Amino acid sequence: MAPSLDANASTTYGDWRDEFYSKGYVVLKNVIPRAKALQYRQKALDWLSSFPTKFDVNDRSTWTSENLPQSFKAGMYLNYCAGHEKYVWDARLEPGVIDAFAKIWDTDELLVSFDTVNITLPGRKDVDWSPWPHVDQAPERKGLACVQGIINLSEAGPEDGGLLLMEGSSRLFDKFFALNPPDRTQGIGAKHYDFYPFKEHHVKWHEEQGCKLIKVCAEPGDLILWDSRSMHYAEFPKSDTIRTIIYACYTPASLAKEKDLKRKAELFHRWETTTHWPHCNIWGHGKAKVNGEVDPLERDEPLEKPDLTDQLLKLAGVKAY
């Protein structure tokens, strides 16, 4: 297993891991061939178009909440079996994606999160967008405990929707929380163990320590990796490009406890999405609700089911290595 980022600060690997450990993130180019990434992107747009609503990807007047399934932050589809569509699993199984995480963790016996997709439509008038700087690792956890990933399927240039990350913040993780003990009694941080939100003055503190908020740019087929201790959030598109990505995180299967593997298998068989964490903190998002009732747009299985290969079932935690 990889040591903590701090422990690796003086180690030289002679490859992209040097940048990852020094900055807390890295962009790996052409992990998936561009043409194939664009095929996955089309699959994502086809999925969004498959619901029985008036949504038309070619008609911006239909890009409204009433014509779309429910999402978090206007693009993260946590329900509707979205994280288990065949194209999502095919992308998770891409050799270049798995190899990158295997290199980080020094093992190819990995579990993958049942993370979801983000399809953010630009120019929407019904979206009230605001930053939500956060980390996806509990302050109580020490060291490099999770590496998050984005399989990028669309252009993510300076004006496009994408990832904003506080470069260098992962190195200050322990120092910040030593000065600011986590408040587990209020807000979303009280409910979701591995999600911790920051306030505006916390962002300023990091900047005063020399950190810099940067837009992580990438192209279709690139893989973005970042240390879960890095402060980050998404930026709404300023361009006309539909942001299209797949979140994918992998950790060693050896880290998982039996009870977590059992829970993970149960969620897999129900086609539920989970948090970013593959081996622990396993909880599902369940069904989307409307006025307390299951959303009529909900599904009991993916539109297109994945092929249940041995490799997929091992990554899902359903089958042992």
Side-chain angles (χ1 to χ4, degrees):
M1 185 194 312
S4 71
L5 182 144
D6 293 336
N8 278 275
S10 60
T11 302
T12 300
Y13 291 91
D15 58 31
W16 55 263
R17 286 175 293 179
D18 294 333
E19 183 177 354
F20 173 81
Y21 285 119
S22 65
K23 294 182 177 180
Y25 79 99
V26 69
V27 179
L28 302 183
K29 305 298 293 181
N30 303 312
V31 167
I32 299 174
R34 181 185 178 91
K36 198 169 188 182
L38 292 176
Q39 289 175 3
Y40 289 143
R41 179 176 187 267
Q42 187 58 53
K43 283 285 189 180
L45 297 179
D46 290 345
W47 175 84
L48 192 60
S49 301
S50 68
F51 293 89
T53 70
K54 295 179 180 179
F55 173 74
D56 181 348
V57 73
N58 296 311
D59 182 356
R60 287 173 177 259
S61 70
T62 68
W63 294 7
T64 59
S65 58
E66 64 183 7
N67 293 324
L68 294 164
Q70 295 178 41
S71 64
F72 175 70
K73 290 292 183 179
M76 293 177 63
Y77 290 93
L78 305 177
N79 314 102
Y80 313 99
C81 308
H84 292 285
E85 289 291 335
K86 184 179 186 300
Y87 80 91
V88 176
W89 271 106
D90 287 348
R92 289 178 181 140
L93 290 163
E94 285 284 346
V97 175
I98 294 175
D99 289 349
F101 282 93
K103 201 163 192 173
I104 284 280
W105 294 112
D106 196 26
T107 179
D108 58 3
E109 294 188 353
L110 300 167
L111 297 175
V112 69
S113 59
F114 301 156
D115 234 319
T116 192
V117 298
N118 188 317
I119 309 170
T120 302
L121 302 167
R124 286 180 57 184
K125 306 300 183 185
D126 60 344
V127 173
D128 183 16
W129 191 267
S130 60
W132 71 103
H134 65 278
V135 289
D136 287 301
Q137 178 168 320
E140 294 82 358
R141 297 190 196 273
K142 304 303 178 185
L144 176 58
C146 187
V147 177
Q148 292 175 248
I150 284 176
I151 302 172
N152 203 60
L153 306 180
S154 58
E155 294 293 343
E159 299 299 310
D160 300 319
L163 176 68
L164 289 173
L165 183 141
M166 186 68 77
E167 185 176 311
S169 57
S170 55
R171 289 174 172 267
L172 297 174
F173 187 82
D174 291 339
K175 180 180 179 180
F176 173 82
F177 285 109
L179 295 171
N180 302 272
D183 181 359
R184 289 297 194 176
T185 64
Q186 299 180 25
I188 194 170
K191 180 180 179 182
H192 301 303
Y193 183 70
D194 280 299
F195 178 95
Y196 200 87
F198 293 105
K199 297 178 180 178
E200 189 173 342
H201 65 278
H202 296 153
V203 175
K204 185 177 180 181
W205 180 88
H206 280 83
E207 292 174 336
E208 290 171 346
Q209 301 298 308
C211 297
K212 183 180 179 181
L213 188 65
I214 56 116
K215 171 67 180 299
V216 181
C217 294
E219 298 175 294
D222 294 349
L223 176 66
I224 304 171
L225 300 177
W226 73 97
D227 185 322
S228 283
R229 297 172 295 175
S230 296
M231 181 192 297
H232 64 282
Y233 59 95
E235 182 174 44
F236 195 74
K238 299 184 182 75
S239 71
D240 290 333
T241 299
I242 299 174
R243 187 190 187 203
T244 317
I245 64 171
I246 297 170
Y247 297 104
C249 307
Y250 303 67
T251 52
S254 60
L255 296 179
K257 296 178 180 178
E258 192 60 37
K259 66 178 180 65
D260 290 320
L261 289 173
K262 181 180 179 181
R263 176 65 173 154
K264 192 175 180 74
E266 290 172 353
L267 293 173
F268 176 79
H269 290 304
R270 294 207 300 265
W271 306 111
E272 284 195 39
T273 60
T274 63
T275 69
H276 300 304
W277 287 73
H279 68 278
C280 63
N281 192 20
I282 308 295
W283 57 272
H285 290 291
K287 298 291 188 185
K289 299 288 184 68
V290 177
N291 298 323
E293 301 293 331
V294 174
D295 186 345
L297 296 179
E298 263 292 5
R299 293 169 172 169
D300 292 324
E301 60 183 26
L303 191 65
E304 187 177 5
K305 293 181 183 178
D307 298 323
L308 302 183
T309 63
D310 277 357
Q311 185 185 25
L312 183 152
L313 293 173
K314 288 177 180 178
L315 283 169
V318 175
K319 190 170 185 177
Y321 280 96

